[in-house]
Each structure stands twice: as C-alpha cells, then as structure tokens.
Amino acid sequence: MSKSILIDATICTACRGCQIACKQWHNLPAEKTTNVGSFQNPQDLSFNTYKLVRMNEEIVNNRLEWLFFPDQCRHCIDAPCLEIAFDETAIYRDPATGAILYTMGSKNLDADEIISSCPYNIPKKAKDGTLAKCDMCNDRVHNGLKPACVTACPTGAMKFGEREEILAIAEKRLGIVKQKFPKAMLLDPYEVNVIYLVGHDPKLYSDYAVASANKGGLSRSVALRKMMGPFARMIRV
Ligand code: SF4
Ligand code: SF4
C-alpha cells in the first residue's frame, strides 16, 4: 500500500499556492531571484525549494499557450535514488506511505551520483553535500492530513489518497480531458506515486517530465542497478 498524488496540469492556474505552502510547512527560506524576463521564479528546484511551478509559453496548434507544471519528487515505486544509495540511514522508503525520504545522513553519500540517478532531475544538494527534496509531507500524512501543497491548491488540480484510488481518479479524469485535449496523457502512472496529467506533449512542460526521456527510462535504470548491485556505483548505470 502507498499514498499517491494526482497533479492535473490541465486545470493548474500557476497560482503557486502549492509552492508557497511547501515552503511554509517545511520552514524553508525564500530564494534570492532575479528577473530573467519570464514568470518563472525561482528558476529551478533547490536545496530550499522542494516544489516549483514550471511555466512555459508554447505555440500549440497555432495558439500561444501557457503550460504549467508543478514539479516535485515522484516518489517512484522502484526509486533509482534509493536503489543506488545502499544506505538506509541516508535514503529510505516509509513502508506506511511509500514516500521516499532523505535524511541528514545523505551528506555521507556521493551527492552527484544520487542526483544523476534521478530521471526526473529532482534531488538538490547543499554546500556540504546534504541532499533534499519533497518528503510528501510525511509528518502531516502520519497525522491524518494531506500534504501541504494538496491542501493549498484552490483549483482541485491536486488530489491525494491511496494509490489505487488516485489511479482510478486519474484514469477517469484522463477520459474527460481527452475530449478537449486529444493528446492528453498520464505520465509514468505505473512507475511513480506522483502522477501527472498533461494535455500536450510532456516535453513542452519540462525536459524531465517523463522518465523515458532520460537515461533510457526508469524501469531500465532500476533493473540495471538491481542486477549489478554495488557494481552499479562504480560504472554509474
Ligand atoms: S523522482 Fe527522483 S528523487 Fe524522487 S524518488 Fe524518484 S528517483 Fe528519487
Ligand atoms: S496550487 Fe494548484 S493551481 Fe496553484 S500552482 Fe499549485 S497545482 Fe497549480
């Protein structure tokens, strides 16, 4: 059993309520940012930013479209970062929720190796090498609350619950969305616990929207690591 989140990008308005709620709950400092001529702020996830609404202006079917993508850790079913860590005091899965959790012990890992293992380009490191990312608000979930981002979302773009329940909601919602967006799809729904629904080509939302675009895909990456065990670290599968 695990918990899952559905993020329906087709009804995300980029209000960034989820981004702020994440900062607030985790007591994370603001980023110092500069205006680079777009609404993207900050520019990327960081050690202090676990959730980021990516904003893209794209021409789709001869129309200028805003495409919004509230990016975060996918809490993968077979997580490459967990597989390669080989250290349960540094990175582990909470068996009660399925959340992949990083601890302060992550500073003893090879941070660049962990970062490069993630097909979604999520983990970020501090100067001392400690790694951080979304923890699915595991403390809230254990106390019967939804993750802060889900609670804050004013449009209903985010849903949280048991995996089977969320998968069913996602499939049903996909059927509805396809009537307006024929190319709509769920992103890696059977490989991750944070499932995105997008209306257009995933590459228009993020270079790392789907695992298959990177490192030959999540399944291949994990399968190779499992097969090779500690030797995977030496050749960086
Ligand atoms: S998305 Fe990346 S950081 Fe998150 S569990 Fe998967 S491999 Fe690990
Ligand atoms: S809170 Fe909801 S609508 Fe606002 S940016 Fe996040 S996912 Fe989109």
Side-chain angles (χ1 to χ4, degrees), residues 8-10 60 67 177 181-185 197-201 205:
D8 183 349
T10 69
V60 184
L67 301 181
V177 168
F181 303 106
K183 291 187 177 170
M185 66 174 77
L197 169 56
V198 297
H200 305 287
D201 181 347
Y205 295 80

Side-chain angles (χ1 to χ4, degrees), residues 34-40 43 57:
T34 52
N35 188 332
V36 295
S38 88
F39 285 107
Q40 184 65 64
Q43 294 304 299
E57 292 171 86

Side-chain angles (χ1 to χ4, degrees), residues 105-127:
S106 63
K107 69 169 172 276
N108 299 320
L109 300 174
D110 181 335
D112 292 335
E113 183 180 51
I114 300 295
I115 291 167
S116 74
S117 76
C118 175
Y120 302 105
N121 197 28
I122 297 296
K124 302 296 174 206
K125 66 177 177 179
K127 281 188 183 144

Side-chain angles (χ1 to χ4, degrees), residues 6-7 69-72 74 185-187 194-198:
L6 170 65
I7 302 180
F69 193 77
D71 206 359
Q72 64 164 88
R74 312 303 200 269
M185 66 174 77
L186 300 172
L187 306 185
V194 177
I195 303 164
Y196 288 83
L197 169 56
V198 297

Side-chain angles (χ1 to χ4, degrees), residues 6-230:
L6 170 65
I7 302 180
D8 183 349
T10 69
I11 52 173
C12 171
T13 60
C15 70
R16 289 191 277 217
C18 52
Q19 191 174 310
I20 301 302
C22 178
K23 285 254 180 207
Q24 194 174 36
W25 183 256
H26 293 96
N27 200 21
L28 293 167
E31 303 276 354
K32 188 171 182 185
T33 60
T34 52
N35 188 332
V36 295
S38 88
F39 285 107
Q40 184 65 64
N41 187 7
Q43 294 304 299
D44 203 355
L45 296 165
S46 77
F47 185 76
N48 289 319
T49 298
Y50 304 165
K51 177 116 190 176
L52 176 80
V53 181
R54 297 194 186 281
M55 303 193 180
N56 296 288
E57 292 171 86
E58 298 288 346
I59 304 287
V60 184
N61 299 329
N62 295 321
R63 276 172 47 122
L64 182 62
E65 299 268 4
W66 275 107
L67 301 181
F68 306 130
F69 193 77
D71 206 359
Q72 64 164 88
C73 171
R74 312 303 200 269
H75 296 277
C76 307
I77 307 290
D78 286 319
C81 63
L82 174 64
E83 297 289 343
I84 205 159
F86 298 110
D87 180 353
E88 288 184 2
T89 63
I91 298 179
Y92 69 100
R93 179 191 306 279
D94 180 342
T97 63
I100 304 294
L101 301 171
Y102 286 14
T103 74
M104 293 301 287
S106 63
K107 69 169 172 276
N108 299 320
L109 300 174
D110 181 335
D112 292 335
E113 183 180 51
I114 300 295
I115 291 167
S116 74
S117 76
C118 175
Y120 302 105
N121 197 28
I122 297 296
K124 302 296 174 206
K125 66 177 177 179
K127 281 188 183 144
D128 69 355
T130 308
L131 290 156
K133 65 165 190 67
C134 158
D135 61 1
M136 211 195 258
C137 288
N138 210 40
D139 50 353
R140 290 175 62 93
V141 174
H142 274 276
N143 283 283
L145 299 171
K146 295 176 181 174
C149 56
V150 179
T151 303
C153 180
T155 67
M158 301 188 70
K159 304 234 175 316
F160 175 78
E162 297 298 331
R163 177 168 175 76
E164 294 311 315
E165 173 200 2
I166 292 299
L167 264 177
I169 292 171
E171 296 284 1
K172 188 173 175 192
R173 179 72 189 143
L174 175 64
I176 294 167
V177 168
K178 266 187 173 288
Q179 292 169 20
K180 185 172 179 191
F181 303 106
K183 291 187 177 170
M185 66 174 77
L186 300 172
L187 306 185
D188 301 333
Y190 300 106
E191 296 176 315
V192 297
N193 276 317
V194 177
I195 303 164
Y196 288 83
L197 169 56
V198 297
H200 305 287
D201 181 347
K203 290 193 203 74
L204 297 177
Y205 295 80
S206 164
D207 290 343
Y208 300 93
V210 287
S212 55
N214 307 295
K215 305 176 196 306
L218 193 57
S219 301
R220 174 190 168 277
S221 178
V222 171
L224 273 173
R225 285 195 185 95
K226 277 184 173 167
M227 193 171 70
M228 302 191 71

